[in-house]
Amino acid sequence: MLDQAFEALKTYDWGTDRNVLNPIDEAVIATREDAAARRELEDRLVAVLEDDVSHSAKDFVCRTLMSMGTAASVPALAGLLPSAEYSHLGRYALERIPAEEAAQAMRESLEELPNPLKVGVISSLGARRDERSVPALGALLGDADPAVATAAARALGGIRSAAAAQALTAAEPDAPEARLAVTDARLACAEALLAAGDRTAALAIYRGLTGEDQPAHVRLAATRGVLACAGG
């Protein structure tokens, strides 16, 4: 049955019977405790991904690898990142594969991707809360493309570490939307640091956002943060 499912996958497309792929879903569950069988299944899925198959088939494979992919899947998934058609499929899977190789592949792709695809990968690194991506994301805060700089700020706000906060504090983006994203991300970092018990770092961020150069709502949030730092 599994062999037949993989044969069907080669020509699978939306509108055809989805049930023909059920044996693959069942194999994902059945191989959880069998490392050798699971690796074989992963290899077979990667082989389909590297073949000339439909968008629907690649979508199915990427969704399956989200839940069971390992470092072995990373090269094939990373190969999708430069594709306007498939980049989102590759990055969504890489975003959820816990292996460090997945994050590294996305970081390395930032130097090569066109900006619209780069924005997506930046978002995925933020979703992973990938601490090792902070230097690369920090460097993008000054990007000439407002979408890239804004995405980098939001990603750092998702990572919410002391290093992310430092990168954001040093940022001076030109675009108004990027500046707003940096401010929001700094507040997010301060909140996370305070929750983690690092009142000193959180207080420094909040105090830096209480000036008259900040919008009223930012000053209010920062003032509340200062009080919260003093209250515990």
Side-chain angles (χ1 to χ4, degrees):
M1 295 292 290
L2 186 58
D3 289 343
Q4 293 173 343
F6 270 100
E7 282 301 313
L9 182 56
K10 293 179 181 179
T11 57
Y12 177 72
D13 208 345
W14 297 127
T16 57
D17 184 7
R18 171 63 174 75
N19 290 330
V20 299
L21 305 182
N22 285 348
I24 299 176
D25 295 330
E26 294 164 1
V28 171
I29 297 171
T31 59
R32 283 178 178 169
E33 305 300 325
D34 187 336
R38 199 164 182 83
R39 176 58 189 268
E40 181 181 354
L41 178 62
E42 183 178 12
D43 288 345
R44 294 186 73 173
L45 288 164
V46 168
V48 173
L49 196 62
E50 294 174 334
D51 204 354
D52 184 17
V53 296
S54 70
H55 186 285
S56 302
K58 290 190 177 184
D59 181 273
F60 172 83
V61 171
C62 287
R63 290 178 186 274
T64 304
L65 292 174
M66 283 182 195
S67 64
M68 53 90 65
T70 69
S73 299
V74 169
L77 292 168
L80 300 178
L81 295 179
S83 167
E85 183 176 7
Y86 297 120
S87 185
H88 65 291
L89 299 181
R91 71 178 179 86
Y92 286 150
L94 291 169
E95 179 181 313
R96 292 163 176 80
I97 292 175
E100 163 58 22
E101 289 87 346
Q104 181 178 350
M106 288 194 287
R107 286 196 299 269
E108 291 176 350
S109 75
L110 294 176
E111 299 181 3
E112 306 294 336
L113 294 180
N115 285 354
L117 301 183
K118 185 182 296 185
V119 166
V121 172
I122 290 169
S123 298
S124 288
L125 289 169
R128 280 181 69 100
R129 301 192 68 174
D130 184 56
E131 181 72 20
R132 294 187 181 183
S133 294
V134 169
L137 294 172
L140 293 174
L141 291 171
D143 197 275
D145 186 333
V148 172
T150 299
R154 290 173 178 166
L156 288 166
I159 294 171
R160 298 189 174 196
S161 66
Q166 290 173 0
L168 290 160
T169 299
E172 296 181 356
D174 293 327
E177 59 265 45
R179 290 198 297 272
L180 287 172
V182 166
T183 298
D184 288 343
R186 290 176 68 191
L187 287 170
C189 288
E191 180 181 0
L193 291 167
L194 178 58
D198 192 345
R199 294 178 180 275
T200 300
L203 182 59
I205 297 171
Y206 284 131
R207 282 178 172 168
L209 294 172
T210 58
E212 292 298 322
D213 58 325
Q214 298 293 337
H217 71 282
V218 173
R219 295 199 306 272
L220 177 59
T223 300
R224 287 175 175 170
V226 170
L227 295 174
C229 289

